Amino acid sequence: MQGQSVIFFILGLGLLVFSIASVSSKRILRSAIFLAAALVFTAFLYLLLGAELLAGIQILLYVGGV
């Protein structure tokens, strides 16, 4: 297994965990923090794919909005 594949699966697992935690959390502040973490993991996936501009927009626009 290549290094990029391992990083991809780790980022995908983290994104899945934080997304589920964001939806299932009963406290609104924790849910917002989990959502911001899920969006950061999405930005890291964009970086892994080579889309630096899209990752920057993801961080500035969406995570900054949360």
Side-chain angles (χ1 to χ4, degrees), residues 35-53:
L35 177 63
L39 292 172
V40 168
F41 271 89
T42 305
F44 284 140
L45 282 173
Y46 288 148
L47 282 176
L48 188 65
L49 291 172
E52 292 86 11
L53 179 66

Side-chain angles (χ1 to χ4, degrees), residues 8-49:
F8 177 77
F9 285 122
I10 290 171
L11 288 175
L13 181 65
L15 179 61
L16 182 69
V17 167
F18 281 119
S19 298
I20 291 172
S22 174
V23 174
S24 64
S25 179
K26 294 187 182 198
R27 296 182 183 248
I28 191 72
L29 184 61
R30 286 184 187 171
S31 181
I33 291 171
F34 291 146
L35 177 63
L39 292 172
V40 168
F41 271 89
T42 305
F44 284 140
L45 282 173
Y46 288 148
L47 282 176
L48 188 65
L49 291 172

